[in-house]
Every structure is written in structure tokens, then in C-alpha cells.
Amino acid sequence: MKGNLFKTRMGIITAGSVIGVIAALLAYLGNPKNMGFCIACFERDIAGALGLHRAAVVQYVRPEIIGIIAGALIISLIKGEFKPRGGSSTIIRFFLGVFAMIGALVFLGCPWRAFIRLAGGDWNAILGILGLIVGIGAGSFFIRKGYSLGRSYPQGRAAGYIMPGFFIIVFAMMVFGFSKLFMSESGPGAMKAPFIISIIAGLIVGILAQRSRFCTMGSIRDVILVKDFHLMSGVAAFTAAVFVMNLILGQFKAGFEAQPIAHTMHLWNFLGMTLAGFAFSLAGGCPGRQLILSGEGDTDAGVFVAGMLVGAAFSHNFAMASSGKGIGEFGAWGTIIGLVFCLVIAYTMTQKRKTA
């Protein structure tokens, strides 16, 4: 840990606290309530801006996402940690990303938002977090049995720049007013914090998450597998910081009903995040961590992120995404198919351990 304060216990707590404060402030400054940072929702908005889906209320190039991946890229280059690698079960990782997004949009949030919703008083998030734990627990069970997607291999330097470059180009398209982008005029996609604040916030979060290895999925996995609470202390600090800031800013509202961009179908809140947690566990990181790894040159993580963008398109184009009224017409089918897919992948990619 020498040379990186953020890998210490106090460092991960500090990083989690700062990210939590930023999340609450972004919601206060204009982002959707209880959604200061939601990697899945924000990637869904970007997919909409690119026309991958036509849900007019969720289309916007979220500067926070570009900031996160750019921040991770910049700091990894400075610290000599930009190491292009990939080639580990590429097609499997893509579809894990697809189904992770489907599960997240059935619940209406990624793991980051699940804890943000909890800290805002949305008790529906409790079902989502329980589902997340079950999904990660399922993945951890197979990891113990020998599950692996295989090793990655060094790639040419250009490969590591592809996913960061893609997001930076999309960002430039918005900055220069490219007319073919789709932008929401109402709904969650039209709710946004000031542009400059959003991009700076993303850069800060990207740098902090890269240095600290902040990961919601990893925190739960480490507790289950090795009883290590290091990453969990960062997630706990993140949740506490959002909670305290919400109290200060008057954003805390406890209950199940009438929560912002949430529904009360408890079974599907649970199962949606079970699917997401299972997929994140099998892929090796939550969506925030996958963005950070993409910024470090990990093309496998980049493929997972691409899968999430496509998953957002499937979710909205084929009526799987939820709304405040409940899950989409085919949300249950998407969740069940995703769970079956993850089970099949987990079982078939588990190598039987040899005994002496």
C-alpha cells in the first residue's frame, strides 16, 4: 500500500465519504432526486442520447460518466497504471453487461444508487440491496468452486484508449452541439446539475475511485469470501455521507411510497438486483468499477460497459425497464432469462478443482 494513501482503511473511508457528498450535492443541484450518481441510469441516458433507444424522457449525455472514465484514464497514466489488457471471455462479458443493465433497470438503479436511495429514505432500496447481496453471494459460491472467465493478456496501447476515446468523442459531440444527438426536454433526462459542476464531479470521482479501488460489488464479495471489510468501510462511509448531506440539504424522505424514480413491487426490486449482483460478480466489478477499469485500459471491462449500453437499449425498446408505476411489460421475462443465463455461465465456467 506504500505510496497510495487511498488504499489504506482511512483512505477508502475518505474516498467513499467524498463521493457520497458529491452524489448528494449533484441531486441538490439538479440531477434526479436520489440519483446524484447512478452509473446504470446515466449510461442508459447516454444510450438514449445516441438513439439506441427512443424513450424520450431518458436521453442525455451525462458529463459525470465521461468525467469518471476520463479521471481514471488521467490518474492511471500519471501513476503508470494504464495497462491495456483483455481477451478474457469477451462475448460472455458483453452479455453479462447486457443482463446487468436489464436487472438494474428493473430495480431502477445500480448498486451505487441502491445505497443512495437508502440514504435518502427510500425503503424500497432495502429489497434491492438484499437482492444485490444474494446475487453477489451466488457469484461468490461459484468463485469458491473455481469459476473463472480465464486470464486476460497484454494488448496494444491503442486498444486501451478505445473505450475512453469513445466516451470523449460522445462528450465532444454534445459540447459542440451535434444536432443528431437526442436530448430529453422533460422527465429524468432533463434533470441535470450544471454542466461544469457535473464534469468536475465526475473527474474527482474517477480519480478517487481509481486510487481507492472503490467498488460496491467488491465490498460485498470480499466480506462473503474472505471476511475482509476494507472495501465495505468505503461503501459504509459513502452511504453515511449521502445520508448526512441529505439531512442537511432537506432531501431525506423516509418511506416506501412516492419515492423519486422508484416503484414498490418488492419482488422485482429484489430479483432485479439479484440479477444485477450476480452479473457484476461474474464479471468482476460493479458498473462504476467497470468504468474505472476501462479508463485504466482494460478492454474486457470496456466490453462489459458496451454490453450495458446495449442492455439499456433492449430494456427500453422491449418494455423491460421499470418506471414509477412498476416493472415493464416484459421486465419479469428479462429478469428470469438473465438469471438463467448467469447460472449457466457460472456453472459452465467453473473448473472442477483437482484433489490430491
Side-chain angles (χ1 to χ4, degrees):
M1 293 184 184
K2 186 176 180 181
N4 185 358
L5 173 64
F6 287 108
K7 283 190 177 180
T8 65
R9 179 61 62 85
M10 185 53 65
I12 187 70
I13 290 173
T14 300
S17 298
V18 173
I19 294 171
V21 169
I22 290 173
L25 284 173
L26 285 173
Y28 181 75
L29 292 172
N31 279 3
K33 299 303 179 185
N34 283 354
M35 197 192 292
F37 259 117
C38 177
I39 307 303
C41 299
F42 286 4
E43 288 179 359
R44 180 268 318 277
D45 291 354
I46 291 174
L50 295 173
L52 299 181
H53 70 72
R54 300 304 172 91
V57 294
V58 282
Q59 296 174 321
Y60 178 53
V61 177
R62 292 283 176 183
E64 295 89 348
I65 295 296
I66 286 82
I68 289 174
I69 198 168
L73 171 65
I74 292 167
I75 197 64
S76 65
L77 286 170
I78 292 172
K79 296 296 183 178
E81 296 178 358
F82 181 79
K83 297 177 180 178
R85 66 270 189 195
S88 169
S89 302
T90 304
I91 192 67
I92 291 176
R93 291 182 185 276
F94 176 82
F95 278 99
L96 287 173
V98 169
F99 285 113
M101 179 62 90
I102 289 172
L105 292 182
V106 166
F107 166 69
L108 288 176
C110 68
W112 288 30
R113 188 177 184 231
F115 289 102
I116 289 172
R117 285 173 57 176
L118 179 66
D122 181 355
W123 301 150
N124 298 292
I126 296 172
L127 281 302
I129 292 170
L130 289 175
L132 180 67
I133 293 170
V134 169
I136 295 170
S140 299
F141 169 81
F142 286 101
I143 290 171
R144 277 203 183 102
K145 295 292 184 181
Y147 166 83
S148 174
L149 290 179
R151 62 168 296 188
S152 60
Y153 299 89
Q155 304 285 311
R157 198 165 182 83
Y161 289 115
I162 290 176
M163 186 54 70
F166 166 76
F167 278 107
I168 290 170
I169 289 171
V170 172
F171 180 70
M173 290 166 64
M174 181 180 70
V175 170
F176 292 105
F178 185 61
S179 63
K180 296 301 182 181
L181 289 175
F182 295 85
M183 295 291 181
S184 297
E185 296 181 1
S186 62
M191 300 175 185
K192 51 203 174 191
F195 176 82
I196 295 298
I197 292 175
S198 295
I199 190 65
I200 292 173
L203 286 167
I204 293 171
V205 170
I207 291 169
L208 289 175
Q210 195 279 334
R211 299 311 295 151
S212 66
R213 305 298 190 261
F214 181 86
C215 178
T216 48
M217 187 287 299
S219 69
I220 297 170
R221 177 203 59 203
D222 287 356
V223 171
I224 293 172
L225 287 178
V226 292
K227 304 298 186 291
D228 185 338
F229 287 82
H230 175 76
L231 290 177
M232 180 56 73
S233 63
V235 174
F238 167 77
T239 307
V242 178
F243 171 67
V244 171
M245 288 300 297
N246 280 339
L247 290 178
I248 293 172
L249 299 172
Q251 297 182 147
F252 184 82
K253 176 189 174 185
F256 287 98
E257 301 291 338
Q259 292 291 346
I261 314 177
H263 62 79
T264 58
M265 298 179 71
H266 301 318
L267 175 63
W268 297 105
N269 278 325
F270 176 84
L271 289 178
M273 282 304 272
T274 298
L275 169 57
F278 203 174
F280 295 142
S281 182
L282 296 179
C286 69
R289 182 67 184 147
Q290 299 287 352
L291 273 181
I292 297 300
L293 289 171
S294 297
E296 294 177 358
D298 190 325
T299 61
D300 290 334
V303 166
F304 183 90
V305 172
M308 290 193 72
L309 292 172
V310 173
F314 279 135
S315 291
H316 281 283
N317 290 338
F318 300 111
M320 291 184 284
S322 298
S323 69
K325 298 178 181 179
I327 66 170
E329 182 181 359
F330 297 103
W333 281 107
T335 302
I336 292 167
I337 292 170
L339 287 169
V340 171
F341 174 83
C342 288
L343 280 169
V344 171
I345 293 301
Y347 180 78
T348 57
M349 299 302 290
T350 295
Q351 305 299 316
K352 303 299 181 183
R353 296 188 184 277
K354 295 181 179 179
T355 55

